[in-house]
Amino acid sequence: MSQFPQKSSMEPPLLECMNSRVDSLDSLSMDNFWLEVENIKQSTEAEQEECNLADVKTPEEGEAEAEWLQDAGLSDLIGEDSSENDNIVLLSTLTKTQAAAVQRRLDTYSRSRRKKNKPPVRDVRDIFGVVGSEEKVVEMEESDKDRSWHSVETSDCTQKPDSRGLQDFSCILRSPGKEEIFCTDIAYSEQAAILLKGSFLQEPRKIKDESALTQFKIPKGRLGMTRIGDLSSQDMKKIPTLALIELTALCDILGLELKRNKAAKQKAKENRLFGVPLSTLLENDQKLIPNTKVPLILQALLSCLEKKGLDTEGILRVSGSQTRIKSLEEKLESDFYTGLFRWDEVRQNDVSGLLKRFIRELPTPLLTAEYLPAFAAVQNIPDLKQRLQALNLLILILPEPNRNTLKALLEFLSKVVAREKKNKMNLWNVSTVIAPNLFMHKGLANKIPEGKEKQLAEGAADVVRMMIHYQDLLWTVSSFLVAQVRKLNESSSRRYQFYDKRIKNLLRKIHTDKDKVEKNQAEPSKTVKVQTSLLLKDSLEVHLNNGTKAADVLRQFQKHLSQNGWSIVNKVSLIKRNGAVESMNLLLYEVGGNISEHCLDPDTYLLDLYHINPHAEWIIRQNPSFPRML
């Protein structure tokens, strides 16, 4: 089970510890980490004989590439009777670095097939080759060293900075200030290519203490910011595929091998709560409370700790009684769903111990067996911003139950850190305690190179620290990914048939669409109708100009409601405060066109959005996270 040996068997001398790569960690102790490892070992000794380690085999040459292509939605490229239609749609949205990453995996797979005397797979260039030169054609054989941002021809969905913008962007990336810009308009791999091409120094950003943690700001473009949860489930299903391709491209540029474990099937316990897959827990919980996103048992554990445990000194670090924790688990298994369990009778350190046990006992790691090595490898990226870019993509790749559960955990951990003065648990203390519970799993047996134990342990703790501290940033969907989703939806809706005899018609259609977009972008103003769902019978007519934001429309609607009297408000149960409708209770959605459904940032400039998606409807709805009250 343990991916880290006991402290006594490997702890290096003090001078060697202080020279560790991760953040220098001058005065940050790892004692909590090793103490937690020892606690985990003791708590599982009785169950060790029942634990069967997953047989994680090293994939043969080509096998990993085949699995990657399948997960990236490109498995048809290596099939015998593959269809080009779906592949063309996805490949047409890729940036140069992303397409190069796809080609590398295809080349490796082709070599492995040739060695096995099997027919080689088709080259992705055969697909791109049928498109005219005016389309985005990626020169796959171009040397990595000869990449030039100025020659990159990206798809319509990505933005092209001019030369001046490129210089400004490079300066922003290397800014030594405490608050830095975190750009999401340009693909992360393309940003890395800019730094590589420009020979910008990528010195490790060493964080000596928590007060020196760099603050990042995502600049809101004209289309605002998109957070996880703002997109519909239909569009979010496209994000992991795109994020995997982008993560692979980023790792290729950085020279970092993206290792993925093969998913191993684990036998779940015959329990109702602990040792049960997240998907099973949620399926059962949703029968009681529809649309439940986080397992009810985890919500109950976190709620109990938030009410009474946040001020407990050493919470999470100080271990409760293993006997009491086991007894608490058994009582919850039998009484939790009956509502008979008394939370006021339990000790907070026992609850925190059970919380960590819940995470460890999941049949597969919370960070997933496939991507746990990738999360751990983030520490090998020297630049802090690029580490966060990789983490952002990894979080987007996670299955929705895992991502939502992880977010609930991180939000609680932030609350623990916020009460540091009372509970004596700062960000690093919390990170070192939680890291073993996330990165150690009984179903995985990873061998650690001798002499690397402390470095890997510190790296794991630092990854947890980044996830806690930067969680708001990490739970965003980058603008370039949203643009790629739009491109996918546009291409899919056209249902082009990619045959030679129709290529000219296809290109003519594409150029016609581009002309329409350019014509729309020339319009200085526009009058549109905003649907108000069940709030009003008639739609709201809104005049758009270059300065109209989503928040302006919501304020206009709020004024319209007030002018029409409170009978409407009472009918729909909107929040009423000081004789006005609470504006935070209303949201504006973009529905249809090249997006399934998108909750708009209040700072979205609507005329720009109209130009990008002229066929969408805009609908005002009540915020589902706000209570309905009078």
Side-chain angles (χ1 to χ4, degrees):
M1 169 185 172
S2 177
Q3 297 186 43
F4 300 98
Q6 289 178 265
K7 178 185 176 184
S8 59
S9 64
M10 45 60 61
E11 186 173 22
L14 180 59
L15 287 177
E16 185 178 345
C17 293
M18 295 183 67
N19 290 327
S20 176
R21 189 205 71 80
V22 180
D23 292 342
S24 189
L25 301 175
D26 292 355
S27 60
L28 302 181
S29 172
M30 289 296 294
D31 290 344
N32 292 335
F33 186 99
W34 301 116
L35 179 61
E36 186 66 17
V37 170
E38 183 63 26
N39 290 337
I40 293 173
K41 181 179 178 182
Q42 292 176 0
S43 67
T44 56
E45 278 182 347
E47 305 171 16
Q48 199 69 31
E49 295 181 359
E50 304 174 7
C51 173
N52 295 320
L53 293 176
D55 187 14
V56 181
K57 297 180 180 179
T58 302
E60 297 180 3
E61 183 181 9
E63 183 180 349
E65 286 71 21
E67 291 179 2
W68 184 91
L69 288 166
Q70 180 176 355
D71 291 344
L74 296 168
S75 58
D76 286 348
L77 289 177
I78 60 177
E80 296 292 338
D81 300 318
S82 56
S83 170
E84 295 180 352
N85 293 349
D86 293 337
N87 294 325
I88 270 287
V89 170
L90 177 56
L91 292 171
S92 67
T93 70
L94 303 185
T95 65
K96 181 176 181 178
T97 50
Q98 292 171 352
V102 172
Q103 185 61 55
R104 288 189 190 95
R105 273 75 200 165
L106 280 172
D107 289 343
T108 302
Y109 183 81
S110 297
R111 286 195 298 270
S112 68
R113 296 268 293 192
R114 285 194 292 269
K115 289 180 181 179
K116 297 177 181 178
N117 297 321
K118 294 181 179 179
V121 298
R122 295 171 307 144
D123 197 306
V124 71
R125 285 165 289 192
D126 296 338
I127 299 176
F128 279 121
V130 302
V131 183
S133 59
E134 295 181 5
E135 285 294 292
K136 185 194 78 169
V137 181
V138 180
E139 296 294 337
M140 296 296 181
E141 292 181 338
E142 182 182 8
S143 169
D144 292 345
K145 295 181 180 180
D146 294 334
R147 288 193 188 97
S148 173
W149 171 258
H150 300 286
S151 65
V152 173
E153 296 183 63
T154 58
S155 62
D156 297 340
C157 65
T158 53
Q159 300 183 12
K160 298 181 182 179
D162 57 22
S163 58
R164 186 181 65 178
L166 174 60
Q167 295 173 358
D168 294 341
F169 169 70
S170 302
C171 294
I172 288 174
L173 282 178
R174 310 311 305 169
S175 172
K178 284 192 175 183
E179 182 175 270
E180 298 189 20
I181 298 298
F182 193 90
C183 177
T184 64
D185 291 332
I186 304 171
Y188 299 150
S189 56
E190 297 289 354
Q191 296 182 34
I194 294 173
L195 293 176
L196 185 64
K197 182 66 178 179
S199 299
F200 294 101
L201 295 177
Q202 297 192 28
E203 298 177 357
R205 304 185 183 193
K206 298 182 178 181
I207 305 170
K208 296 183 179 181
D209 57 64
E210 286 152 25
S211 62
L213 284 170
T214 303
Q215 298 301 316
F216 289 99
K217 178 182 179 181
I218 299 179
K220 288 187 179 182
R222 300 285 294 182
L223 299 181
M225 185 188 303
T226 301
R227 300 188 181 279
I228 294 176
D230 288 347
L231 293 177
S232 67
S233 58
Q234 183 178 348
D235 285 332
M236 275 303 298
K237 288 178 181 178
K238 300 178 177 69
I239 293 293
T241 293
L242 294 167
L244 173 58
I245 296 174
E246 170 61 14
L247 176 64
T248 307
L250 176 62
C251 290
D252 285 353
I253 296 294
L254 299 178
L256 182 67
E257 184 180 1
L258 178 61
K259 291 185 177 180
R260 302 192 306 159
N261 281 336
K262 190 172 182 179
K265 293 184 179 180
Q266 295 290 316
K267 184 178 179 180
K269 294 181 178 180
E270 298 296 329
N271 294 349
R272 301 173 67 189
L273 299 175
F274 295 86
V276 179
L278 289 174
S279 57
T280 302
L281 284 173
L282 288 172
E283 182 180 350
N284 295 332
D285 291 346
Q286 287 168 358
K287 294 176 183 177
L288 300 174
I289 303 179
N291 300 320
T292 299
K293 302 294 186 183
V294 177
L296 295 178
I297 179 60
L298 179 62
Q299 292 186 44
L301 291 170
L302 297 178
S303 177
C304 178
L305 289 171
E306 287 178 12
K307 290 177 180 178
K308 298 182 179 180
L310 291 180
D311 293 336
T312 302
E313 185 171 340
I315 192 67
L316 296 175
R317 176 178 57 81
V318 177
S319 179
S321 164
Q322 295 300 328
T323 302
R324 290 197 305 267
I325 292 175
K326 184 64 178 176
S327 175
L328 180 58
E329 177 183 344
E330 293 172 352
K331 289 180 181 178
L332 283 168
E333 285 285 357
S334 61
D335 297 342
F336 178 70
Y337 285 114
T338 65
L340 300 176
F341 187 81
R342 300 285 301 274
W343 287 100
D344 54 351
E345 298 177 354
V346 298
R347 303 187 185 187
Q348 295 306 302
N349 287 333
D350 293 344
V351 178
S352 68
L354 191 59
L355 169 65
K356 294 183 290 185
R357 185 180 181 88
F358 172 83
I359 298 170
R360 295 195 308 271
E361 289 296 307
L362 290 171
T364 57
L366 182 58
L367 302 180
T368 73
E370 298 95 320
Y371 291 99
L372 193 62
F375 274 94
V378 168
Q379 63 175 291
N380 297 323
I381 301 175
D383 186 78
L384 173 60
K385 185 178 296 183
Q386 291 175 339
R387 293 207 295 273
L388 292 174
Q389 291 172 346
L391 276 177
N392 175 228
L393 294 170
L394 282 168
I395 286 168
L396 291 173
I397 292 171
L398 288 177
E400 185 178 1
N402 298 64
R403 186 169 58 239
N404 291 337
T405 301
L406 177 62
K407 186 64 167 74
L409 175 64
L410 294 177
E411 287 176 347
F412 164 72
L413 297 178
S414 293
K415 294 175 182 177
V416 173
V417 174
R419 306 288 273 273
E420 172 191 349
K421 291 183 179 179
K422 292 188 176 181
N423 59 36
K424 310 302 181 185
M425 293 293 291
N426 60 26
L427 179 57
W428 182 249
N429 290 338
V430 172
S431 302
T432 53
V433 170
I434 294 298
N437 293 279
L438 287 176
F439 284 92
M440 294 172 60
H441 194 271
K442 62 184 179 183
L444 298 174
N446 293 340
K447 295 182 180 179
I448 297 178
E450 186 176 353
K452 297 288 186 180
E453 298 92 346
K454 190 178 195 315
Q455 177 182 339
L456 293 175
E458 289 177 343
D462 190 55
V463 169
V464 175
R465 174 163 63 168
M466 285 188 288
M467 288 195 293
I468 296 173
H469 186 74
Y470 296 108
Q471 58 183 284
D472 288 342
L473 180 150
L474 297 176
W475 256 259
T476 59
V477 183
S478 296
S479 298
F480 71 87
L481 288 176
V482 177
Q484 287 182 294
V485 169
R486 292 184 186 276
K487 183 69 174 178
L488 277 175
N489 291 338
E490 286 176 352
S491 300
S492 298
S493 64
R494 291 179 185 138
R495 299 185 180 278
Y496 291 140
Q497 299 297 318
F498 285 85
Y499 299 114
D500 290 343
K501 64 182 180 180
R502 300 192 61 184
I503 292 300
K504 291 183 179 179
N505 292 335
L506 166 63
L507 293 177
R508 188 180 300 113
K509 172 66 174 173
I510 291 175
H511 291 307
T512 300
D513 291 343
K514 288 181 179 178
D515 292 339
K516 288 182 180 179
V517 171
E518 291 173 0
K519 184 178 179 181
N520 286 335
Q521 290 177 344
E523 297 183 52
S525 63
K526 185 74 178 179
T527 300
V528 298
K529 290 187 176 181
V530 178
Q531 305 299 320
T532 57
S533 187
L534 299 176
L535 302 179
L536 291 174
K537 292 182 179 180
D538 300 326
S539 58
L540 181 70
E541 194 170 274
V542 178
H543 180 75
L544 303 181
N545 56 43
N546 287 327
T548 307
K549 296 183 180 181
D552 298 328
V553 174
L554 294 176
R555 279 192 291 268
Q556 181 177 339
F557 177 68
Q558 176 185 345
K559 181 179 179 181
H560 187 74
L561 276 180
S562 300
Q563 291 174 348
N564 281 272
W566 285 108
S567 59
I568 298 175
V569 177
N570 292 335
K571 179 179 177 181
V572 297
S573 301
L574 289 173
I575 293 178
K576 181 174 63 177
R577 292 181 184 175
N578 300 324
V581 178
E582 177 59 54
S583 60
M584 288 293 291
N585 194 34
L586 300 173
L587 297 172
L588 182 61
Y589 287 82
E590 170 196 11
V591 181
N594 57 31
I595 205 79
S596 178
E597 184 173 294
H598 182 200
C599 181
L600 298 179
D601 186 316
D603 292 326
T604 301
Y605 287 88
L606 294 181
L607 189 58
D608 294 71
L609 181 63
Y610 172 80
H611 291 156
I612 287 177
N613 191 10
H615 302 296
E617 288 186 320
W618 294 343
I619 303 176
I620 294 176
R621 294 176 183 162
Q622 207 172 344
N623 188 338
S625 64
F626 272 69
R628 291 176 176 265
M629 56 182 289
L630 291 177

